[in-house]
Amino acid sequence: MNCPIDSAWLMGQNGNMAKQPIYTCNECGASQTKWGGQCDACQAWNTIVEDKPLGSGPAKKSLGGMRGKKIPLTDLASQEPPPARTLVGVGELDRVLGGGLVQGSALLVGGDPGIGKSTLMLQAAARFARNGLKVIYISGEESASQVQMRAQRLGLTGSPVKLASETNLRDILTTLEAEKPDLAIIDSIQTMWADNVDSAPGSVSQVRSSAHELTTFAKQRNMAVIMVGHVTKDGTIAGPRVVEHMVDTVLYFEGDRGHQFRILRSVKNRFGPADEIGVFEMTGKGLAEVKNPSALFLSDRGKPAPGSAVFAGIEGSRPILGEIQALVSPSAQPNAKRSVVGLDSGRLGMILAVLESRCGVPFTGLDVYLNVAGGMRITDPGADLAIAAALVSAREDAPLPAEVVIFGEISLSGALRPVVQTENRLKEAQKLGFTSAITPQQTKKVAVAGLEMRETSDLATFVTQVFGDRGPV
Ligand code: TYD
Ligand code: MG
């Protein structure tokens, strides 16, 4: 039987296809067609809200095509000069920005609440202002006098930064239009409220719409805008991943509340290298840059202890030394514990499996704890060999020599793969007083004066060489 289709139901009153409402998750930004108590994508409860579908108004007539010039790729003569950049004057921040702030760019700075985003932004604002930029700092979280008090504490009161406390986007854009600053800092995007969007501040629609308006406004007026965003428990910027797509640069401010140092990491940068890091230390007078992070991460090493291995890693474009600590103890539970801080737990699982299958070092019935000292977070696969060394050292209760630095990637076959920037890693190790390095076999030989190189082809040979007859049975 043919079902009659109710065309009035399908079509809007003016003949347009009726728009179905969309339901969006406030936590992860995923959209779905039906409301539900739990988000299908991130499994969060009570986070689904009705969202206005895009383009629910009548379609506008085309104005006759794109207005911008179309330039042939081959036409070098019509190339526009690169956009102007302003250096902050804080080396660690300039490095993460890829060599200063680009005129007319939009940035998102994400991080846990209380990690120091507002402090960093205020300090950066003051520096930019001193370097000749007209800066306006708009806080939606604190009153102007609170921001002023913070500036006083940070010793920044002499800087010509304009402070304002406002959450209404319309008022903010009007002020920006009148003031015409070179840089506007919005702290935070979650507190912004656009009156044409029918939902609460902090909701996906509000954040998305505010970020979109601010970014478009900034591009049109050639003004840089930095938006601060809070990060949720699972590490994403609250609500909208979409904001990450809108902006030119996304920086994450990370760190452990229990530790003084903070890392600013660029996860996306249209104007510079991504994955670059800047290291700061939280002091009583705000954030101070750390020029030699390796020394900071290795500072409190005592005499060699079992389960500790130093690796030379690369974060962004720079070498950083770090200490991997492992503890292995007999398990009282039927399922032995695997606990990791500062590393991906999947990698621990992989390295344990390779040690067991390729080197005959089982960890069955043993609880394993792995930690990167100082609260650093490592993503470099070159840490694999140091992780394996720390694990075997802890299991055998045999300390590694204090003057040795270790790096290399482990493949599932147990072979060791060379890693990028070997020479930079070795130079950093030598600078910090290490005299010996264990690395995978190098295709291109690298030598650094004062550093003895010990190359190993596979993990099993490494375990026998390093732990000798104390090695596992
Ligand atoms: P804040 O910048 O307010 O964090 P966010 O904007 O990311 O929420 O930083 C708050 C923390 O920083 C707070 O716990 C106090 C500490 N802090 C210092 O240790 N020294 C300082 O000079 C300042 C201003 C803050
Ligand atoms: Mg803040």
Side-chain angles (χ1 to χ4, degrees):
M1 193 184 91
N2 282 341
C3 289
I5 296 172
D6 184 353
S7 58
W9 178 79
L10 265 180
M11 309 289 272
Q13 279 180 334
N14 53 5
N16 286 335
M17 190 71 93
K19 297 274 180 191
Q20 294 278 332
I22 300 175
Y23 298 90
T24 310
C25 170
N26 257 339
E27 197 76 9
C28 70
S31 298
Q32 50 199 51
T33 49
K34 274 195 303 202
W35 187 87
Q38 189 181 22
C39 170
D40 291 341
C42 71
Q43 316 300 321
W45 286 96
N46 295 330
T47 54
I48 308 288
V49 289
E50 187 177 337
D51 207 356
K52 289 264 181 303
L54 274 180
S56 37
K60 292 208 177 90
K61 276 224 174 88
S62 162
L63 296 174
M66 295 180 344
R67 272 164 287 171
K69 263 198 302 182
K70 288 157 215 76
I71 309 166
L73 193 58
T74 47
D75 189 358
L76 286 173
S78 57
Q79 226 177 33
E80 289 191 21
R85 287 181 181 263
T86 309
L87 287 173
V88 198
V90 179
E92 293 297 305
L93 189 52
D94 283 330
R95 170 200 291 276
V96 178
L97 292 173
L101 181 73
V102 174
Q103 200 178 39
S105 61
L107 290 88
L108 180 67
V109 176
D112 288 332
I115 204 78
K117 300 181 295 297
S118 303
T119 310
L120 178 73
M121 285 302 110
L122 197 57
Q123 286 181 288
R127 289 287 195 138
F128 279 125
R130 261 185 259 157
N131 290 354
L133 291 192
K134 198 170 162 190
V135 185
I136 182 158
Y137 181 104
I138 300 166
S139 177
E141 298 185 348
E142 293 159 280
S143 68
S145 61
Q146 278 172 323
V147 181
Q148 209 173 16
M149 261 164 55
R150 186 198 292 256
Q152 219 159 28
R153 219 180 116 194
L154 298 170
L156 304 173
T157 39
S159 309
V161 178
K162 287 200 175 161
L163 303 176
S165 173
E166 184 56 70
T167 55
N168 187 324
L169 192 68
R170 202 70 31 222
D171 291 345
I172 291 175
L173 293 181
T174 312
T175 308
L176 293 180
E177 183 75 71
E179 293 277 336
K180 299 196 172 37
D182 301 306
L183 167 66
I185 297 176
I186 309 291
D187 188 2
S188 64
I189 191 68
Q190 274 94 6
T191 53
M192 293 300 126
W193 172 72
D195 50 16
N196 57 343
V197 177
D198 199 10
S199 54
S203 66
V204 174
S205 331
Q206 281 288 358
V207 173
R208 189 168 51 193
S209 166
S210 307
H212 177 70
E213 289 215 32
L214 280 163
T215 312
T216 323
F217 182 91
K219 299 268 165 195
Q220 282 166 355
R221 310 296 193 286
N222 208 16
M223 168 193 95
V225 61
I226 303 181
M227 294 175 268
V228 173
H230 294 296
V231 163
T232 53
K233 297 182 288 301
D234 62 349
T236 54
I237 290 183
R241 292 233 80 151
V242 273
V243 177
E244 295 195 4
H245 301 298
M246 281 179 212
V247 294
D248 301 305
T249 304
V250 179
L251 308 177
Y252 273 96
F253 206 31
E254 338 168 313
D256 194 307
R257 291 274 199 95
H259 292 95
Q260 292 304 93
F261 80 89
R262 306 277 183 269
I263 289 181
L264 187 65
R265 190 185 293 268
S266 70
V267 289
K268 162 182 171 179
N269 196 351
R270 282 191 187 140
F271 307 112
D275 255 339
E276 194 61 87
I277 65 161
V279 186
F280 298 88
E281 196 175 358
M282 184 58 102
T283 68
K285 285 203 149 218
L287 289 153
E289 60 178 328
V290 176
K291 293 214 169 105
N292 188 355
S294 300
L296 175 79
F297 295 128
L298 294 177
S299 58
D300 44 6
R301 275 175 48 101
K303 67 175 187 18
S308 154
V310 176
F311 88 104
I314 296 283
E315 289 291 336
S317 65
R318 75 157 83 177
I320 288 194
L321 299 198
E323 183 191 347
I324 311 265
Q325 301 169 336
L327 179 70
V328 173
S329 64
S331 180
Q333 310 292 332
N335 288 329
K337 224 176 173 160
R338 304 283 180 252
S339 169
V340 196
V341 180
L343 283 158
D344 178 24
S345 58
R347 276 179 61 206
L348 170 64
M350 192 273 281
I351 295 167
L352 288 175
V354 176
L355 279 170
E356 184 153 351
S357 325
R358 310 285 179 206
C359 316
V361 189
F363 283 83
T364 332
L366 297 170
D367 285 338
V368 175
Y369 302 88
L370 197 69
N371 178 33
V372 184
M376 193 164 64
R377 193 169 65 80
I378 298 173
T379 49
D380 178 6
D384 286 358
L385 191 54
I387 298 173
L391 290 169
V392 180
S393 160
R395 184 183 184 276
E396 300 308 313
D397 205 22
L400 287 152
E403 72 289 345
V404 64
V405 68
I406 303 170
F407 59 87
E409 188 179 344
I410 299 174
S411 59
L412 288 181
S413 65
L416 298 182
R417 275 202 294 249
V419 286
V420 292
Q421 300 198 40
T422 300
E423 192 169 353
N424 284 345
R425 295 175 198 249
L426 295 172
K427 279 187 183 152
E428 180 77 4
Q430 191 264 345
K431 210 165 77 189
L432 280 133
F434 290 84
T435 55
S436 173
I438 305 180
T439 70
Q441 253 160 7
Q442 308 294 326
T443 37
K444 204 175 109 223
K445 296 289 169 220
V446 198
V448 170
L451 203 67
E452 183 209 346
M453 295 283 289
R454 290 156 67 185
E455 294 180 14
T456 319
S457 61
D458 62 276
L459 191 57
T461 319
F462 167 82
V463 172
T464 336
Q465 275 175 353
V466 176
F467 297 96
D469 47 9
R470 292 205 55 178
V473 281

